mmCIF file of all heavy atoms in Angstrom:
data_model
loop_
_atom_site.group_PDB
_atom_site.id
_atom_site.type_symbol
_atom_site.label_atom_id
_atom_site.label_comp_id
_atom_site.label_asym_id
_atom_site.label_seq_id
_atom_site.Cartn_x
_atom_site.Cartn_y
_atom_site.Cartn_z
ATOM 1 N N ILE D 677 6.705 -16.245 -1.390
ATOM 2 C CA ILE D 677 6.204 -14.885 -1.260
ATOM 3 C C ILE D 677 7.342 -13.888 -1.416
ATOM 4 O O ILE D 677 8.458 -14.135 -0.958
ATOM 5 C CB ILE D 677 5.486 -14.717 0.096
ATOM 6 C CG1 ILE D 677 4.818 -13.364 0.222
ATOM 7 C CG2 ILE D 677 6.417 -14.982 1.258
ATOM 8 C CD1 ILE D 677 3.808 -13.303 1.351
ATOM 9 N N THR D 678 7.053 -12.796 -2.096
ATOM 10 C CA THR D 678 7.998 -11.692 -2.251
ATOM 11 C C THR D 678 7.330 -10.421 -1.765
ATOM 12 O O THR D 678 6.189 -10.143 -2.136
ATOM 13 C CB THR D 678 8.426 -11.510 -3.721
ATOM 14 O OG1 THR D 678 9.137 -12.661 -4.138
ATOM 15 C CG2 THR D 678 9.314 -10.293 -3.899
ATOM 16 N N VAL D 679 8.025 -9.684 -0.923
ATOM 17 C CA VAL D 679 7.545 -8.371 -0.506
ATOM 18 C C VAL D 679 8.500 -7.339 -1.078
ATOM 19 O O VAL D 679 9.714 -7.535 -1.117
ATOM 20 C CB VAL D 679 7.413 -8.241 1.035
ATOM 21 C CG1 VAL D 679 8.726 -8.505 1.733
ATOM 22 C CG2 VAL D 679 6.874 -6.874 1.429
ATOM 23 N N THR D 680 7.918 -6.238 -1.559
ATOM 24 C CA THR D 680 8.679 -5.137 -2.139
ATOM 25 C C THR D 680 8.335 -3.859 -1.392
ATOM 26 O O THR D 680 7.159 -3.597 -1.103
ATOM 27 C CB THR D 680 8.308 -4.950 -3.623
ATOM 28 O OG1 THR D 680 8.503 -6.193 -4.302
ATOM 29 C CG2 THR D 680 9.146 -3.875 -4.279
ATOM 30 N N ASN D 681 9.364 -3.087 -1.076
ATOM 31 C CA ASN D 681 9.182 -1.749 -0.504
ATOM 32 C C ASN D 681 10.197 -0.861 -1.205
ATOM 33 O O ASN D 681 11.406 -1.029 -1.016
ATOM 34 C CB ASN D 681 9.409 -1.771 1.010
ATOM 35 C CG ASN D 681 9.179 -0.403 1.636
ATOM 36 O OD1 ASN D 681 9.884 0.542 1.339
ATOM 37 N ND2 ASN D 681 8.189 -0.311 2.511
ATOM 38 N N GLY D 682 9.713 0.033 -2.058
ATOM 39 C CA GLY D 682 10.620 0.861 -2.852
ATOM 40 C C GLY D 682 11.448 -0.018 -3.777
ATOM 41 O O GLY D 682 10.904 -0.798 -4.552
ATOM 42 N N THR D 683 12.773 0.062 -3.650
ATOM 43 C CA THR D 683 13.657 -0.751 -4.485
ATOM 44 C C THR D 683 14.220 -1.946 -3.720
ATOM 45 O O THR D 683 15.141 -2.609 -4.201
ATOM 46 C CB THR D 683 14.822 0.099 -5.023
ATOM 47 O OG1 THR D 683 15.549 0.655 -3.917
ATOM 48 C CG2 THR D 683 14.309 1.215 -5.933
ATOM 49 N N ASP D 684 13.679 -2.243 -2.527
ATOM 50 C CA ASP D 684 14.118 -3.387 -1.729
ATOM 51 C C ASP D 684 13.171 -4.565 -1.914
ATOM 52 O O ASP D 684 11.950 -4.387 -2.035
ATOM 53 C CB ASP D 684 14.174 -3.025 -0.241
ATOM 54 C CG ASP D 684 15.256 -2.014 0.060
ATOM 55 O OD1 ASP D 684 16.286 -2.019 -0.643
ATOM 56 O OD2 ASP D 684 15.075 -1.219 1.001
ATOM 57 N N TYR D 685 13.756 -5.784 -1.929
ATOM 58 C CA TYR D 685 12.991 -7.012 -2.141
ATOM 59 C C TYR D 685 13.363 -8.045 -1.086
ATOM 60 O O TYR D 685 14.502 -8.090 -0.625
ATOM 61 C CB TYR D 685 13.297 -7.609 -3.531
ATOM 62 C CG TYR D 685 12.992 -6.657 -4.653
ATOM 63 C CD1 TYR D 685 13.959 -5.788 -5.147
ATOM 64 C CD2 TYR D 685 11.726 -6.617 -5.206
ATOM 65 C CE1 TYR D 685 13.671 -4.899 -6.165
ATOM 66 C CE2 TYR D 685 11.428 -5.740 -6.234
ATOM 67 C CZ TYR D 685 12.401 -4.882 -6.705
ATOM 68 O OH TYR D 685 12.113 -4.007 -7.712
ATOM 69 N N HIS D 686 12.391 -8.879 -0.727
ATOM 70 C CA HIS D 686 12.619 -9.968 0.229
ATOM 71 C C HIS D 686 11.724 -11.135 -0.206
ATOM 72 O O HIS D 686 10.505 -10.991 -0.311
ATOM 73 C CB HIS D 686 12.251 -9.500 1.633
ATOM 74 C CG HIS D 686 12.489 -10.506 2.696
ATOM 75 N ND1 HIS D 686 12.026 -10.336 3.979
ATOM 76 C CD2 HIS D 686 13.130 -11.696 2.700
ATOM 77 C CE1 HIS D 686 12.384 -11.364 4.724
ATOM 78 N NE2 HIS D 686 13.049 -12.213 3.957
ATOM 79 N N THR D 687 12.331 -12.290 -0.464
ATOM 80 C CA THR D 687 11.605 -13.477 -0.923
ATOM 81 C C THR D 687 11.852 -14.620 0.042
ATOM 82 O O THR D 687 12.964 -14.783 0.550
ATOM 83 C CB THR D 687 12.068 -13.883 -2.332
ATOM 84 O OG1 THR D 687 11.842 -12.780 -3.217
ATOM 85 C CG2 THR D 687 11.314 -15.102 -2.840
ATOM 86 N N MET D 688 10.811 -15.436 0.293
ATOM 87 C CA MET D 688 10.957 -16.582 1.188
ATOM 88 C C MET D 688 9.856 -17.601 0.946
ATOM 89 O O MET D 688 8.885 -17.330 0.240
ATOM 90 C CB MET D 688 10.944 -16.139 2.649
ATOM 91 C CG MET D 688 9.603 -15.596 3.093
ATOM 92 S SD MET D 688 9.528 -15.047 4.816
ATOM 93 C CE MET D 688 11.042 -15.510 5.512
ATOM 94 N N HIS D 689 10.042 -18.765 1.554
ATOM 95 C CA HIS D 689 9.020 -19.807 1.590
ATOM 96 C C HIS D 689 8.398 -19.802 2.982
ATOM 97 O O HIS D 689 9.098 -19.609 3.975
ATOM 98 C CB HIS D 689 9.624 -21.192 1.333
ATOM 99 C CG HIS D 689 9.981 -21.436 -0.092
ATOM 100 N ND1 HIS D 689 9.169 -22.139 -0.942
ATOM 101 C CD2 HIS D 689 11.060 -21.070 -0.819
ATOM 102 C CE1 HIS D 689 9.736 -22.201 -2.130
ATOM 103 N NE2 HIS D 689 10.883 -21.558 -2.082
ATOM 104 N N ILE D 690 7.099 -20.047 3.035
ATOM 105 C CA ILE D 690 6.362 -20.149 4.299
ATOM 106 C C ILE D 690 5.437 -21.348 4.199
ATOM 107 O O ILE D 690 4.764 -21.541 3.180
ATOM 108 C CB ILE D 690 5.535 -18.879 4.567
ATOM 109 C CG1 ILE D 690 6.472 -17.670 4.765
ATOM 110 C CG2 ILE D 690 4.619 -19.061 5.771
ATOM 111 C CD1 ILE D 690 5.745 -16.348 4.874
ATOM 112 N N VAL D 691 5.384 -22.163 5.260
ATOM 113 C CA VAL D 691 4.438 -23.277 5.351
ATOM 114 C C VAL D 691 3.601 -23.069 6.604
ATOM 115 O O VAL D 691 4.125 -22.743 7.671
ATOM 116 C CB VAL D 691 5.169 -24.640 5.402
ATOM 117 C CG1 VAL D 691 4.171 -25.770 5.623
ATOM 118 C CG2 VAL D 691 5.968 -24.867 4.133
ATOM 119 N N ILE D 692 2.296 -23.255 6.445
ATOM 120 C CA ILE D 692 1.345 -23.153 7.556
ATOM 121 C C ILE D 692 0.550 -24.447 7.622
ATOM 122 O O ILE D 692 0.119 -24.967 6.590
ATOM 123 C CB ILE D 692 0.361 -21.979 7.362
ATOM 124 C CG1 ILE D 692 1.105 -20.649 7.306
ATOM 125 C CG2 ILE D 692 -0.701 -21.970 8.461
ATOM 126 C CD1 ILE D 692 0.227 -19.478 6.915
ATOM 127 N N GLN D 693 0.348 -24.954 8.840
ATOM 128 C CA GLN D 693 -0.602 -26.044 9.063
ATOM 129 C C GLN D 693 -1.420 -25.673 10.296
ATOM 130 O O GLN D 693 -1.010 -24.832 11.092
ATOM 131 C CB GLN D 693 0.100 -27.385 9.271
ATOM 132 C CG GLN D 693 0.806 -27.510 10.599
ATOM 133 C CD GLN D 693 1.311 -28.917 10.846
ATOM 134 O OE1 GLN D 693 1.342 -29.747 9.953
ATOM 135 N NE2 GLN D 693 1.714 -29.174 12.064
ATOM 136 N N HIS D 694 -2.585 -26.310 10.429
ATOM 137 C CA HIS D 694 -3.431 -26.001 11.581
ATOM 138 C C HIS D 694 -4.142 -27.265 12.055
ATOM 139 O O HIS D 694 -4.248 -28.260 11.334
ATOM 140 C CB HIS D 694 -4.447 -24.915 11.234
ATOM 141 C CG HIS D 694 -5.546 -25.396 10.335
ATOM 142 N ND1 HIS D 694 -6.706 -25.943 10.809
ATOM 143 C CD2 HIS D 694 -5.632 -25.432 8.986
ATOM 144 C CE1 HIS D 694 -7.476 -26.295 9.797
ATOM 145 N NE2 HIS D 694 -6.834 -25.997 8.667
ATOM 146 N N ASP D 695 -4.622 -27.211 13.298
ATOM 147 C CA ASP D 695 -5.374 -28.319 13.885
ATOM 148 C C ASP D 695 -6.838 -27.958 14.121
ATOM 149 O O ASP D 695 -7.540 -28.638 14.842
ATOM 150 C CB ASP D 695 -4.714 -28.781 15.188
ATOM 151 C CG ASP D 695 -4.702 -27.698 16.256
ATOM 152 O OD1 ASP D 695 -5.312 -26.619 16.061
ATOM 153 O OD2 ASP D 695 -4.075 -27.927 17.312
ATOM 154 N N GLY D 696 -7.280 -26.873 13.523
ATOM 155 C CA GLY D 696 -8.648 -26.400 13.704
ATOM 156 C C GLY D 696 -8.758 -25.331 14.775
ATOM 157 O O GLY D 696 -9.719 -24.570 14.802
ATOM 158 N N THR D 697 -7.767 -25.257 15.662
ATOM 159 C CA THR D 697 -7.752 -24.261 16.729
ATOM 160 C C THR D 697 -6.529 -23.359 16.635
ATOM 161 O O THR D 697 -6.628 -22.148 16.776
ATOM 162 C CB THR D 697 -7.760 -24.946 18.118
ATOM 163 O OG1 THR D 697 -8.911 -25.792 18.190
ATOM 164 C CG2 THR D 697 -7.813 -23.927 19.238
ATOM 165 N N ASN D 698 -5.385 -23.973 16.401
ATOM 166 C CA ASN D 698 -4.117 -23.238 16.332
ATOM 167 C C ASN D 698 -3.478 -23.417 14.963
ATOM 168 O O ASN D 698 -3.573 -24.484 14.367
ATOM 169 C CB ASN D 698 -3.145 -23.747 17.398
ATOM 170 C CG ASN D 698 -3.698 -23.564 18.786
ATOM 171 O OD1 ASN D 698 -3.984 -22.452 19.208
ATOM 172 N ND2 ASN D 698 -3.867 -24.663 19.511
ATOM 173 N N ALA D 699 -2.799 -22.361 14.521
ATOM 174 C CA ALA D 699 -2.066 -22.413 13.253
ATOM 175 C C ALA D 699 -0.574 -22.331 13.559
ATOM 176 O O ALA D 699 -0.142 -21.498 14.359
ATOM 177 C CB ALA D 699 -2.483 -21.262 12.350
ATOM 178 N N ASP D 700 0.190 -23.219 12.941
ATOM 179 C CA ASP D 700 1.643 -23.232 13.091
ATOM 180 C C ASP D 700 2.273 -22.749 11.792
ATOM 181 O O ASP D 700 1.778 -23.053 10.704
ATOM 182 C CB ASP D 700 2.138 -24.648 13.398
ATOM 183 C CG ASP D 700 1.535 -25.187 14.688
ATOM 184 O OD1 ASP D 700 1.635 -24.490 15.710
ATOM 185 O OD2 ASP D 700 0.967 -26.292 14.651
ATOM 186 N N ILE D 701 3.381 -22.020 11.920
ATOM 187 C CA ILE D 701 4.027 -21.437 10.745
ATOM 188 C C ILE D 701 5.533 -21.661 10.836
ATOM 189 O O ILE D 701 6.110 -21.631 11.926
ATOM 190 C CB ILE D 701 3.703 -19.923 10.651
ATOM 191 C CG1 ILE D 701 4.277 -19.302 9.367
ATOM 192 C CG2 ILE D 701 4.154 -19.172 11.881
ATOM 193 C CD1 ILE D 701 3.810 -17.876 9.112
ATOM 194 N N ILE D 702 6.144 -21.919 9.680
ATOM 195 C CA ILE D 702 7.599 -21.987 9.580
ATOM 196 C C ILE D 702 8.018 -21.209 8.345
ATOM 197 O O ILE D 702 7.331 -21.247 7.323
ATOM 198 C CB ILE D 702 8.124 -23.440 9.546
ATOM 199 C CG1 ILE D 702 9.647 -23.459 9.654
ATOM 200 C CG2 ILE D 702 7.645 -24.171 8.312
ATOM 201 C CD1 ILE D 702 10.224 -24.830 9.914
ATOM 202 N N GLN D 703 9.127 -20.490 8.473
ATOM 203 C CA GLN D 703 9.678 -19.702 7.384
ATOM 204 C C GLN D 703 11.061 -20.235 7.054
ATOM 205 O O GLN D 703 11.817 -20.590 7.953
ATOM 206 C CB GLN D 703 9.801 -18.244 7.804
ATOM 207 C CG GLN D 703 8.496 -17.658 8.315
ATOM 208 C CD GLN D 703 8.712 -16.314 8.984
ATOM 209 O OE1 GLN D 703 9.286 -15.423 8.394
ATOM 210 N NE2 GLN D 703 8.251 -16.182 10.206
ATOM 211 N N PHE D 704 11.392 -20.289 5.769
ATOM 212 C CA PHE D 704 12.709 -20.779 5.372
ATOM 213 C C PHE D 704 13.058 -20.239 3.992
ATOM 214 O O PHE D 704 12.226 -19.612 3.338
ATOM 215 C CB PHE D 704 12.776 -22.311 5.415
ATOM 216 C CG PHE D 704 11.781 -22.998 4.517
ATOM 217 C CD1 PHE D 704 12.149 -23.445 3.268
ATOM 218 C CD2 PHE D 704 10.471 -23.189 4.935
ATOM 219 C CE1 PHE D 704 11.235 -24.072 2.442
ATOM 220 C CE2 PHE D 704 9.548 -23.823 4.113
ATOM 221 C CZ PHE D 704 9.927 -24.265 2.863
ATOM 222 N N ALA D 705 14.282 -20.484 3.580
ATOM 223 C CA ALA D 705 14.772 -20.060 2.263
ATOM 224 C C ALA D 705 14.561 -18.563 2.051
ATOM 225 O O ALA D 705 14.105 -18.123 1.010
ATOM 226 C CB ALA D 705 14.112 -20.879 1.152
ATOM 227 N N SER D 706 14.918 -17.794 3.068
ATOM 228 C CA SER D 706 14.762 -16.345 3.008
ATOM 229 C C SER D 706 15.968 -15.696 2.336
ATOM 230 O O SER D 706 17.112 -16.014 2.649
ATOM 231 C CB SER D 706 14.608 -15.804 4.438
ATOM 232 O OG SER D 706 14.486 -14.403 4.434
ATOM 233 N N ILE D 707 15.689 -14.796 1.405
ATOM 234 C CA ILE D 707 16.753 -14.059 0.724
ATOM 235 C C ILE D 707 16.277 -12.624 0.527
ATOM 236 O O ILE D 707 15.107 -12.385 0.209
ATOM 237 C CB ILE D 707 17.139 -14.730 -0.621
ATOM 238 C CG1 ILE D 707 18.353 -14.065 -1.230
ATOM 239 C CG2 ILE D 707 15.974 -14.772 -1.576
ATOM 240 C CD1 ILE D 707 18.946 -14.830 -2.403
ATOM 241 N N PHE D 708 17.179 -11.668 0.764
ATOM 242 C CA PHE D 708 16.823 -10.259 0.601
ATOM 243 C C PHE D 708 18.026 -9.491 0.099
ATOM 244 O O PHE D 708 19.167 -9.935 0.228
ATOM 245 C CB PHE D 708 16.296 -9.658 1.904
ATOM 246 C CG PHE D 708 17.140 -9.948 3.111
ATOM 247 C CD1 PHE D 708 18.241 -9.171 3.421
ATOM 248 C CD2 PHE D 708 16.823 -11.020 3.933
ATOM 249 C CE1 PHE D 708 19.005 -9.442 4.539
ATOM 250 C CE2 PHE D 708 17.572 -11.296 5.057
ATOM 251 C CZ PHE D 708 18.681 -10.499 5.356
ATOM 252 N N ASP D 709 17.775 -8.317 -0.486
ATOM 253 C CA ASP D 709 18.866 -7.535 -1.059
ATOM 254 C C ASP D 709 19.440 -6.509 -0.098
ATOM 255 O O ASP D 709 20.574 -6.091 -0.244
ATOM 256 C CB ASP D 709 18.430 -6.864 -2.370
ATOM 257 C CG ASP D 709 17.335 -5.841 -2.184
ATOM 258 O OD1 ASP D 709 16.687 -5.825 -1.127
ATOM 259 O OD2 ASP D 709 17.113 -5.044 -3.109
ATOM 260 N N ASN D 710 18.692 -6.085 0.901
ATOM 261 C CA ASN D 710 19.167 -5.052 1.809
ATOM 262 C C ASN D 710 18.892 -5.426 3.264
ATOM 263 O O ASN D 710 19.795 -5.387 4.086
ATOM 264 C CB ASN D 710 18.526 -3.710 1.465
ATOM 265 C CG ASN D 710 19.159 -2.556 2.206
ATOM 266 O OD1 ASN D 710 20.292 -2.629 2.648
ATOM 267 N ND2 ASN D 710 18.418 -1.474 2.346
ATOM 268 N N ALA D 711 17.661 -5.792 3.567
ATOM 269 C CA ALA D 711 17.263 -6.178 4.924
ATOM 270 C C ALA D 711 15.938 -6.916 4.838
ATOM 271 O O ALA D 711 15.212 -6.800 3.844
ATOM 272 C CB ALA D 711 17.113 -4.950 5.813
ATOM 273 N N GLU D 712 15.616 -7.685 5.885
ATOM 274 C CA GLU D 712 14.308 -8.331 5.935
ATOM 275 C C GLU D 712 13.226 -7.256 5.940
ATOM 276 O O GLU D 712 13.325 -6.278 6.679
ATOM 277 C CB GLU D 712 14.175 -9.196 7.188
ATOM 278 C CG GLU D 712 15.031 -10.435 7.149
ATOM 279 C CD GLU D 712 14.789 -11.327 8.343
ATOM 280 O OE1 GLU D 712 14.724 -10.808 9.478
ATOM 281 O OE2 GLU D 712 14.659 -12.534 8.127
ATOM 282 N N LEU D 713 12.210 -7.448 5.122
ATOM 283 C CA LEU D 713 11.181 -6.423 4.970
ATOM 284 C C LEU D 713 9.916 -6.691 5.773
ATOM 285 O O LEU D 713 9.076 -5.798 5.892
ATOM 286 C CB LEU D 713 10.821 -6.253 3.493
ATOM 287 C CG LEU D 713 11.942 -5.710 2.606
ATOM 288 C CD1 LEU D 713 11.446 -5.556 1.181
ATOM 289 C CD2 LEU D 713 12.486 -4.396 3.146
ATOM 290 N N ALA D 714 9.767 -7.920 6.311
ATOM 291 C CA ALA D 714 8.562 -8.226 7.074
ATOM 292 C C ALA D 714 8.792 -9.456 7.935
ATOM 293 O O ALA D 714 9.647 -10.287 7.625
ATOM 294 C CB ALA D 714 7.365 -8.451 6.145
#
């Protein structure tokens, strides 16, 4: 996923799994040009 705000960019990988009730999330391989955008 890549998020853009103006001329700033932030790209990362996200994995989600769930058990039918709860969803688990992990974020990795994050790269940005100025700051994390989300």
